[in-house]
Amino acid sequence: METSLGSSTQTAGQEQTASQEPRREHRFICIGCPMGCELLVVTEVSEEGGPPSAVSGNACKIGERYGREEATNPTRVMTSSVRVLGGDMKMLSVKTARPIPKGKIWDCAEAMRGLSVNAPVKIGDIIIKNAASTGVDIIATRNIARGSA
Amino acid sequence: MREVSLAIVGGGPAGLSAAISARESGLGGTPPAGGIVIIERGRALGGILNQCIHNGFGLHIFKEELTGPEYAHRLVEACVRLGIEYKLNTMVTDLGTDTDGAKTLTLFSREGAERIRAKAVILAMGCRERPRGALRIPGSRCAGIYTAGLAQELVNMKGLMPGKTVVVLGSGDIGLIMARRMTLEGAEVKGVYELMPYSGGLKRNIAQCLNDYGIPLKLSHTVTRIEGQEFGRGESSDGCGRLRGVWTAAVDASGAPLYATEEFTACDTLLLSVGLIPENELSKRIGVRLSEVTGGPLVDDSLQTSVPGVFACGNVLHVHDLADNVTLEAYRAGESAARCIRGGAGAFGVTGGVRRIGLRAGRGVRYVVPNEIILPAGPKPSAGPDAEPGAEYTAYFRSDNVYRDVYIRVRLAPEGSCSDSEGAVIKSVSKRIVTPGEMETLKFSLETGKAATLEVRIEAKG
Ligand SMILES: Cc1cc2nc3c(=O)[nH]c(=O)nc-3n(C[C@H](O)[C@H](O)[C@H](O)COP(=O)(O)OP(=O)(O)OC[C@H]3O[C@@H](n4cnc5c(N)ncnc54)[C@H](O)[C@@H]3O)c2cc1C
Ligand code: SF4
């Protein structure tokens, strides 16, 4: 079995001519437990805006929720590290303070490239405000004192 | 010689958590006499968590999703609040037992060598990565081959990129995490090759580290040859002696490469994520008996090793996938050590007055921790139960394969019988799936006086 079951951004986008509604199928592996159920999520963008979705392949409720979220609004906490000047460590580990839309991960990574901060840094300090216009800050995940690395 | 009550070797999550619980179990005393001391060879507390900058730690313990450094920070803060002493940049190089049963530790730091005596010791040295040498992949001895953990340290702690085009061998969690990390740092990760027909990593990491980035996972595949320029013999003027690529092939059911399927993948970096080995050189020095399966110490249910007064927890005992499980295990070790110290020498581990019940891995189970359960000493009614009624024990184990729709069971195994005999079932839990990549736990209580040996097994339904 090859688990290159497609990056979950890839969708087998099938237009349903019968209903006129854009109907899309998404396939994910549920991460809720080691079962790793293979989920099929069908989303239909309705007139009212909200995309109702049907999840199948899940063996329990967790999979249903995960499948729906992944299909409609997948989010991730992104972590990275940036250079520190004048600190007792070379690199500062950072994260997005909240999960960001999956599609914004690259923009956030780009925003951090080449960035450096000055010591001292305290855990929770804001490193980038409103990173890549996500409305989410990038914050420090450790303390760094002044010193030489 | 300086005396402490409890010396903890290693300041990772295991050592820190053990210190916290020992203190909270009432182990007091202030340094330099008495007290608890953590000895860490690194320049900071937190162990391997310092380089695990991704999130996903602490859901069980802190009910929040933290990154590795944040998880470490919480534990360090608690230690500081509790006034626990620690020594950094200090390596424990030897461990022994004095004539009076106290333990002696030899420490090395920039200040020189020092010896201390401790009533009890907790081993929390973690593990190290299996290197290339242990894999015996033929081919060139070129540059560009790293263990995934070393690459993690280079990228996250030093800000150095090991390479630009990457192949990962082994689907352990660190390899998966690094596939994503290097991708985000601009490298091209060509694929993750796993010898087994299943991944050794967590499902979550497959989904969020590989699938999110379209990185293929090739199960039942391995690297058969490594191609690069030998040092000093390279024709290229730039990266002399650098990896040029790897040959990969599918493997058959026995893990042997099917050479007809061999393919070349160009890459300048090969990351190895092929398992961790508990770091037990010190344990051997003091005579601790080790398991042939895990490489970690054999322990009883208090996490005491075969040497009385020496306890073990965390990755030095067996490899954990979740730091939360390390903390829970270490809490137990800290508590037990405190009890051992309070009770004076011989409260635990003495053979007189207690009964030991073996706990072994049966069908489908690769290993179990603990290896023994100690029933409380003291007078007991001859016909009555051995254990205090309701005393609960937990078996931690890993399966040897992927099993679906099975029972995980603890059974009585009458002494001396072969492991296929059917003893009475003590505990049975139905599982939809059991995989080697995720540690299983099974809680059970012992009400019967008959047990000599117990066995954890995986049994088919019906
Ligand atoms: C490279 C690597 C990456 C990992 N990444 C992840 C991950 O991403 N997610 C995850 O959940 N788990 C990860 N793990 C597993 C992780 O190690 C455990 O979850 C947990 O950190 C184990 O805690 P520990 O305290 O037992 O060991 P460690 O965290 O390894 O701590 C052991 C400490 O002991 C010290 N030490 C060892 N020997 C001596 C000595 N002789 N004298 C003094 N000090 C000594 C070491 O310096 C170290 O600080 C990783 C493991 C490794 C090896
Ligand atoms: S759907 Fe339920 S059973 Fe299936 S993987 Fe997700 S959590 Fe596990």
Side-chain angles (χ1 to χ4, degrees):
Chain A
M1 184 189 81
E2 222 167 86
T3 320
S4 54
L5 275 168
S7 99
S8 33
T9 45
Q10 291 165 10
T11 47
Q14 293 178 2
E15 293 272 328
Q16 279 259 349
T17 39
S19 70
Q20 293 295 79
E21 311 251 67
R23 180 178 180 279
R24 302 211 293 163
E25 290 185 358
H26 313 251
R27 288 173 195 279
F28 310 111
I29 307 174
C30 177
I31 62 165
C33 85
M35 280 287 285
C37 292
E38 286 169 24
L39 309 177
L40 173 66
V41 188
V42 179
T43 53
E44 271 164 81
V45 182
S46 67
E47 299 266 305
E48 298 86 67
S53 45
V55 181
S56 56
N58 57 309
C60 78
K61 279 237 152 41
I62 298 174
E64 189 181 330
R65 221 182 63 201
Y66 177 76
R68 189 159 292 144
E69 269 176 26
E70 279 292 290
T72 54
N73 180 31
T75 60
R76 302 283 186 268
V77 167
M78 191 228 172
T79 63
S80 186
S81 55
V82 298
R83 236 160 263 283
V84 188
L85 303 174
D88 63 353
M89 296 223 157
K90 277 204 176 73
M91 303 295 286
L92 168 70
S93 52
V94 297
K95 70 170 184 184
T96 54
R98 279 179 290 119
I100 54 167
K102 208 174 92 178
K104 288 281 188 180
I105 288 178
W106 283 103
D107 296 341
C108 282
E110 210 43 58
M112 269 182 257
R113 227 178 286 289
L115 187 75
S116 58
V117 298
N118 292 311
V121 185
K122 274 195 83 70
I123 190 166
D125 279 0
I126 296 175
I127 303 303
I128 303 179
K129 247 198 124 45
N130 184 15
S133 314
T134 51
V136 178
D137 300 335
I138 289 175
I139 60 172
T141 57
R142 63 169 307 136
N143 289 334
I144 292 194
R146 278 205 193 87
S148 60
Chain B
M1 209 186 297
R2 189 182 154 189
E3 301 252 354
V4 298
S5 39
L6 175 61
I8 298 175
V9 189
L16 295 169
S17 307
I20 292 166
S21 84
R23 172 67 100 232
E24 284 177 345
S25 314
L27 191 61
T30 37
I36 304 169
V37 62
I38 301 173
I39 303 141
E40 168 57 52
R41 70 179 168 201
R43 51 189 293 189
L45 294 173
I48 214 76
L49 290 181
N50 284 312
Q51 68 184 62
C52 299
I53 64 165
H54 56 279
N55 68 318
F57 297 84
L59 274 170
H60 298 286
I61 307 280
F62 299 113
K63 311 280 174 239
E64 262 186 77
E65 209 172 303
L66 303 171
T67 63
E70 290 172 312
Y71 188 94
H73 181 80
R74 300 268 173 114
L75 296 177
V76 172
E77 264 191 330
C79 283
V80 169
R81 207 165 45 235
L82 293 168
I84 292 161
E85 185 196 349
Y86 57 89
K87 287 174 173 292
L88 299 178
N89 301 307
T90 307
M91 169 121 181
V92 179
T93 55
D94 201 8
L95 205 53
T97 309
D98 234 344
T99 43
D100 63 351
K103 312 295 171 245
T104 56
L105 293 91
T106 309
L107 318 185
F108 262 93
S109 66
R110 265 189 214 126
E111 284 81 60
E114 182 193 356
R115 295 186 82 197
I116 63 172
R117 273 164 53 94
K119 292 200 183 79
V121 171
I122 295 180
L123 305 171
M125 290 92 76
C127 54
R128 61 164 176 267
E129 296 181 279
R130 204 182 290 275
R132 175 184 172 190
L135 292 175
R136 295 191 296 253
I137 309 168
S140 154
R141 299 161 146 272
C142 50
I145 303 169
Y146 302 82
T147 59
L150 176 59
Q152 191 179 42
E153 188 189 345
L154 289 173
V155 177
N156 294 345
M157 309 296 287
K158 306 242 159 78
L160 301 170
M161 273 295 274
K164 294 195 185 76
T165 48
V166 184
V167 164
V168 183
L169 175 60
S171 62
D173 286 312
I174 314 163
L176 302 179
I177 296 277
M178 283 315 291
R180 171 176 65 186
R181 187 79 186 100
M182 301 228 4
T183 303
L184 280 173
E185 287 296 324
E188 183 196 352
V189 179
K190 300 234 173 137
V192 176
Y193 294 82
E194 169 59 57
L195 182 69
M196 305 304 284
Y198 49 83
S199 162
L202 300 173
K203 273 270 146 31
R204 174 200 168 91
N205 286 338
I206 308 252
Q208 301 196 345
C209 300
L210 301 187
N211 296 359
D212 272 8
Y213 299 89
I215 300 168
L217 170 60
K218 302 269 199 182
L219 298 172
S220 299
H221 273 72
T222 193
V223 169
T224 46
R225 272 182 290 154
I226 288 169
E227 212 172 281
Q229 291 150 339
E230 297 289 336
F231 277 115
R233 274 197 270 146
E235 324 87 37
S236 67
S237 51
D238 49 357
C240 160
R242 183 75 192 197
L243 180 66
R244 255 197 317 237
V246 296
W247 289 85
T248 59
V251 298
D252 65 17
S254 70
L258 301 164
Y259 285 100
T261 65
E262 237 184 359
E263 264 177 40
F264 183 75
T265 305
C267 61
D268 64 13
T269 304
L270 176 65
L271 297 188
L272 304 175
S273 182
V274 290
L276 301 167
I277 314 169
E279 179 136 349
N280 275 291
E281 281 64 31
L282 278 180
S283 320
K284 285 186 208 149
R285 298 284 307 168
I286 198 173
V288 161
R289 280 178 58 208
L290 302 181
S291 153
E292 280 167 22
V293 183
T294 59
L298 296 168
V299 291
D300 63 30
D301 61 300
S302 75
L303 298 178
Q304 182 162 238
T305 67
S306 63
V307 177
V310 178
F311 299 78
C313 56
N315 279 359
V316 79
L317 180 55
H318 59 128
V319 176
H320 296 68
D321 353 276
L322 295 173
D324 297 78
N325 289 335
V326 171
T327 292
L328 290 176
E329 187 175 88
Y331 280 168
R332 182 160 187 80
E335 236 173 68
S336 303
R339 199 160 4 129
C340 164
I341 292 163
R342 260 205 319 275
F348 266 84
V350 283
T351 37
V354 296
R355 269 196 57 199
R356 291 163 178 274
I357 293 184
L359 185 62
R360 69 186 183 202
R363 202 189 302 150
V365 176
R366 196 165 74 83
Y367 74 82
V368 188
V369 171
N371 310 89
E372 255 179 6
I373 289 167
I374 309 271
L375 297 184
K380 49 184 180 253
S382 51
D386 266 314
E388 301 155 36
E392 210 175 55
Y393 303 94
T394 310
Y396 300 89
F397 64 95
R398 277 184 203 271
S399 64
D400 60 10
N401 209 327
V402 178
Y403 295 95
R404 286 174 192 274
D405 290 315
V406 287
Y407 292 112
I408 53 176
R409 284 184 167 146
V410 177
R411 278 184 186 265
L412 288 187
E415 193 77 81
S417 67
C418 69
S419 67
D420 260 7
S421 69
E422 305 278 57
V425 174
I426 303 269
K427 181 70 181 263
S428 179
V429 172
S430 164
K431 297 287 289 186
R432 270 213 288 261
I433 192 166
V434 182
T435 85
E438 319 225 1
M439 192 175 76
E440 291 290 337
T441 58
L442 191 52
K443 286 194 195 314
F444 60 97
S445 49
L446 270 186
E447 308 276 354
T448 166
K450 304 264 163 28
T453 306
L454 300 172
E455 202 169 76
V456 180
R457 323 217 299 190
I458 295 172
E459 298 177 10
K461 286 190 178 166

